[in-house]
Amino acid sequence: MGKRQRRRKRERANKHQSQQRATAPQPIIWEFPEDAPRIRVLIEHDAPEDAQRISVLYWEVKGDGTWARTVSSIGVTSNVGAVAAAHAHAVLLNCPCMNCSEPISVINRSWANKVGGKYLDAEAPSYLCGDCTAIQRREETERQQRLSEQKRVEQERAQEESERTKRLIADVIKDEDAKNEPTGPLKVENPLSLALYVALINYATSNPGKTIPSLTSVGPMGWTGAGEQDRELLLALYCTGLLAIAPDSPTQAFVLRMTTASPSFPQTSRGASSVVWLPRRNVPRKSGTPSRRSRDPRGPQRVMPSQL
């Protein structure tokens, strides 16, 4: 297509648009004050004559920009405002939009004075025109939708990661169950470890079917009155094979190794605080010491710390 053809096409399009504008109903326009307009009133082309009259009286301003009359002097206040808002709106010619600099439209006097001040000539640095307001609301809605979608995706990802970690921890617990229980006499170098183990066995005996609660659940005093010391003793018992990690241990008792992407129980004081325990065998005794079962015909009895 040559330049002449493109020019003729544009001319036909412009002519068509002009004809459409000419045939479209045009609003009835009033401007006040007449010598230096501050407000332009646009009344619907098919508004009843009484509504047109009320709208003109409602929006008319004096030369200084104040209202030409009170609303009550026109008629019943609520009715006048409703009729004017239903059939007309005003444009504040001296109050540009902060975004596009186009005059701001208002639907009632209260809003007009809020935007343009008492004399309808104040600049509106914090107000937007109708089009920019709609754009801003649409952008805010889209932003909120994006945030909601991002939050949903993050929640799903966190849920999947949590379920994955739980499965991996379950595998670790299975590994704990697969460990062979220690056999034969065990050498417990620290007598405090043995004393703590006796206390744990007594707890397990008094609460059959229950696991040994974590130090976090027991409280800062721990089992022996020294929580910090108990953590070290628990780790020593775990390393010796007298304690095992219970399946209901919380996920924070484990750490995820980035190299292997699998969780492990950190053998540190911090990890020992959250672990729920299971005893793996009876209280160890020194080699050559007869068991209570062989000495007491009444059968097994609870072992008290005083009996160590």
Side-chain angles (χ1 to χ4, degrees):
M1 183 182 295
K3 292 183 178 178
R4 182 176 300 178
Q5 290 176 309
R6 287 196 295 269
R7 184 175 65 251
R8 288 177 179 176
K9 185 177 181 179
R10 285 196 301 269
E11 290 174 353
R12 286 195 299 268
N14 293 335
K15 182 178 180 180
H16 179 68
Q17 292 176 357
S18 299
Q19 289 175 348
Q20 284 186 325
R21 286 194 296 267
T23 56
Q26 298 297 311
I28 302 168
I29 299 176
W30 291 75
E31 291 186 345
F32 303 106
E34 294 183 0
D35 55 342
R38 302 188 184 193
I39 190 170
R40 178 181 297 143
V41 184
L42 294 91
I43 306 173
E44 294 177 348
H45 72 283
D46 57 351
E49 291 187 4
D50 189 56
Q52 295 183 33
R53 180 185 64 81
I54 291 176
S55 297
V56 171
L57 295 175
Y58 178 83
W59 285 111
E60 184 178 2
V61 298
K62 296 184 292 186
D64 62 355
T66 59
W67 305 114
R69 58 189 60 81
T70 62
V71 177
S72 59
S73 67
I74 303 172
V76 179
T77 302
S78 58
N79 293 342
V80 170
V83 171
H87 297 281
H89 70 277
V91 177
L92 304 180
L93 301 176
N94 296 333
C95 302
C97 167
M98 62 176 292
N99 186 48
C100 68
S101 299
E102 289 293 319
I104 296 177
S105 298
V106 292
I107 59 172
N108 55 52
R109 286 186 176 187
S110 298
W111 188 241
N113 286 132
K114 186 175 182 179
V115 175
K118 181 179 180 179
Y119 302 105
L120 306 180
D121 60 354
E123 294 186 0
S126 59
Y127 293 95
L128 298 172
C129 66
D131 291 341
C132 290
T133 299
I135 293 173
Q136 185 184 64
R137 289 175 179 172
R138 184 171 63 251
E139 291 176 346
E140 177 62 20
T141 300
E142 292 174 352
R143 188 183 71 85
Q144 292 295 337
Q145 290 175 346
R146 288 194 300 271
L147 290 176
S148 298
E149 178 64 16
Q150 180 181 355
K151 184 177 180 180
R152 184 190 64 80
V153 171
E154 290 176 353
Q155 288 177 341
E156 289 183 354
R157 186 182 297 115
Q159 180 66 22
E160 292 175 356
E161 183 63 22
S162 175
E163 293 176 354
R164 171 177 166 274
T165 302
K166 288 179 180 179
R167 290 194 300 268
L168 294 173
I169 291 175
D171 293 338
V172 173
I173 299 298
K174 288 181 181 178
D175 293 340
E176 285 285 308
D177 294 338
K179 291 180 180 178
N180 294 326
E181 293 188 10
T183 59
L186 297 174
K187 295 181 179 180
V188 181
E189 297 180 358
N190 189 343
L192 293 177
S193 296
L194 185 60
L196 175 58
Y197 188 65
V198 170
L200 299 181
I201 288 295
N202 286 338
Y203 176 88
T205 304
S206 301
N207 300 274
K210 293 186 178 181
T211 55
I212 299 172
S214 66
L215 280 179
T216 303
S217 301
V218 173
M221 298 301 292
W223 292 96
T224 65
E228 293 292 334
Q229 175 180 264
D230 283 359
R231 279 189 279 269
E232 301 299 331
L233 297 178
L234 285 169
L235 284 174
L237 293 173
Y238 172 76
C239 294
T240 307
L242 292 173
L243 292 179
I245 302 174
D248 51 343
S249 293
T251 55
Q252 59 264 29
F254 301 84
V255 293
L256 191 64
R257 293 195 299 262
M258 301 305 295
T259 55
T260 60
S262 62
S264 64
F265 167 57
Q267 297 189 21
T268 62
S269 296
R270 181 178 180 182
S273 299
S274 304
V275 173
V276 180
W277 302 99
L278 285 173
R280 293 187 63 85
R281 61 171 292 169
N282 294 327
V283 183
R285 58 183 182 273
K286 295 181 179 179
S287 178
T289 302
S291 65
R292 182 172 296 274
R293 181 186 297 272
S294 62
R295 293 190 300 167
D296 196 329
R298 293 175 301 174
Q301 304 294 312
R302 290 184 60 193
V303 180
M304 304 302 292
S306 59
Q307 298 171 333
L308 295 176

